[in-house]
Amino acid sequence: MKAALLVESLTGNTWKAADLIADKLQQERWSISGMSSVGQPDLRAIQEADLVLVGTWTHGLFVVGQAPFGAPKIANLPPMRGKKAACFLTFALDAGKSIDKLTGALHKTGADVAGGLEIKRSHLDEHTDLFVERLLDVLHPA
Ligand SMILES: Cc1cc2nc3c(=O)[nH]c(=O)nc-3n(C[C@H](O)[C@H](O)[C@H](O)COP(=O)(O)O)c2cc1C
């Protein structure tokens, strides 16, 4: 299986999460067709991929008004009808309902969204492990 990753990041945590996810998928014998920013998506990588993973970060006032950064850009990614997708969202303290908003934005591309997970910036390794584990469970139920 092949995955493309699309990332929105201000200070690097979401890129780190994406790198960890890519490494963990490769350990599961996946290949990565490309990793690019949401703003400049690698169209060839998306086209080649069986699965597109989109990651961004939580923007808000920490306890209220949280939203996934760049949600309109994500909703306006090239149409991905029929393509499987999933999303992840880094946060510091409280992401509110950002993951639901991110899933909704990704749905607007027409992708078949398998789900999404919040990844706490202080627990990148553990939470990316969990993300990959759940992703593989959803894609290949026992
Ligand atoms: C302007 C700004 C607003 C933020 N608002 C929130 C917030 O409301 N809730 C939260 O849990 N984290 C918040 N964060 C923390 C970021 O979501 C977190 O550090 C994230 O991992 C940043 O990802 P990045 O390093 O890829 O840019 C905020 C960060 C910034 C810079």
Side-chain angles (χ1 to χ4, degrees), residues 95-117:
K97 297 204 182 327
S98 299
I99 194 71
D100 296 337
K101 294 176 186 167
L102 177 56
T103 307
L106 192 51
H107 260 299
K108 289 191 179 154
T109 64
D112 171 12
V113 185
L117 194 70

Side-chain angles (χ1 to χ4, degrees), residues 9-14 57-62 66 90-94 121:
S9 179
L10 181 70
T11 59
N13 296 325
T14 315
W57 55 283
T58 305
H59 180 271
L61 298 173
F62 287 87
Q66 301 97 326
T90 66
F91 73 105
L93 209 64
D94 180 355
R121 72 178 182 195

Side-chain angles (χ1 to χ4, degrees), residues 5 16-26 32 53 88 119 128 131-132 135:
L5 289 94
K16 262 185 226 153
D19 277 335
L20 287 166
I21 289 167
D23 285 351
K24 291 169 206 270
L25 284 173
Q26 283 170 318
I32 304 301
L53 299 175
F88 56 97
I119 293 175
T128 52
F131 178 77
V132 170
L135 187 63

